[in-house]
Amino acid sequence: MHYYVCYCDKGVNGTTNTKTIGKLNLVDLAGSERVSKSGADGTRLKEAQNINKSLSSLGDVIHALRSKQNFVPYRNSKLTYLLQDSLGGDSKTLMIVQVAPVEKNVAETICSLNFAQRVRTVELGQASKKMESGDVETCFSDEATKGITGFVPDLVS
């Protein structure tokens, strides 16, 4: 399962009275599940399949951004849909990859590092300030994110 927290903040420059908005998405991506290795079945199997689907969708978005495609498939999963404003265009994105230094996890470690390498090659462009306009309130009232902050068992579907 993935863990998602979204923090939004408004600021006002006391001198110029300019209003800005900031949004911070923190996502702990569950690692891909090797179903044959874990022996998962039933509910755990379905969860593993959803995690893999979600990570695959994120990979598709990363590929589309890296190859500068006209269409980026953000709507293929809830995860990529929620992160679309952080993955595209004028935002800063940081990915931290945790790997296990255990020999039995070498395959998963290599897979994680390869994914991180693909992400690293994506150029999002220059980050910009979000000045108050019609979309400032979106961060606070976006129907897509209402009630999704925190532990989200169905985020991967």
Side-chain angles (χ1 to χ4, degrees):
M1 297 195 191
H2 300 308
Y3 189 83
Y4 175 77
V5 175
C6 178
Y7 174 76
C8 297
D9 196 15
K10 287 185 190 181
V12 178
N13 182 324
T15 306
T16 64
N17 207 29
T18 305
K19 297 176 183 173
T20 58
I21 188 169
K23 182 176 182 181
L24 175 65
N25 288 311
L26 299 173
V27 181
D28 182 1
L29 297 173
S32 64
E33 288 287 326
R34 305 273 185 248
V35 175
S36 60
K37 183 178 177 182
S38 69
D41 61 354
T43 304
R44 189 167 153 89
L45 174 63
K46 185 175 180 180
E47 180 182 327
Q49 291 169 334
N50 285 337
I51 287 169
N52 290 340
K53 179 183 173 206
S54 177
L55 292 173
S56 177
S57 294
L58 182 59
D60 293 343
V61 167
I62 296 300
H63 173 73
L65 290 170
R66 185 179 68 193
S67 57
K68 300 188 186 313
Q69 295 178 3
N70 290 334
F71 175 74
V72 180
Y74 291 115
R75 293 182 179 258
N76 286 0
S77 78
K78 289 179 186 178
L79 175 68
T80 55
Y81 180 72
L82 290 171
L83 295 177
Q84 74 182 18
D85 61 342
S86 297
L87 293 173
D90 57 356
S91 57
K92 294 252 185 201
T93 303
L94 172 67
M95 175 182 258
I96 299 171
V97 178
Q98 179 181 353
V99 295
V102 180
E103 189 172 341
K104 71 178 185 176
N105 294 330
V106 168
E108 285 82 3
T109 296
I110 290 171
C111 184
S112 296
L113 292 173
N114 286 336
F115 183 77
Q117 182 61 34
R118 287 197 329 261
V119 170
R120 184 175 175 257
T121 62
V122 175
E123 294 180 22
L124 296 177
Q126 188 75 0
S128 64
K129 276 187 181 180
K130 303 289 186 210
M131 306 306 281
E132 184 165 72
S133 64
D135 64 351
V136 168
E137 295 301 320
T138 303
C139 184
F140 299 97
S141 63
D142 188 0
E143 290 299 318
T145 58
K146 276 190 179 169
I148 294 187
T149 301
F151 182 65
V152 187
D154 67 340
L155 181 62
V156 294
S157 59

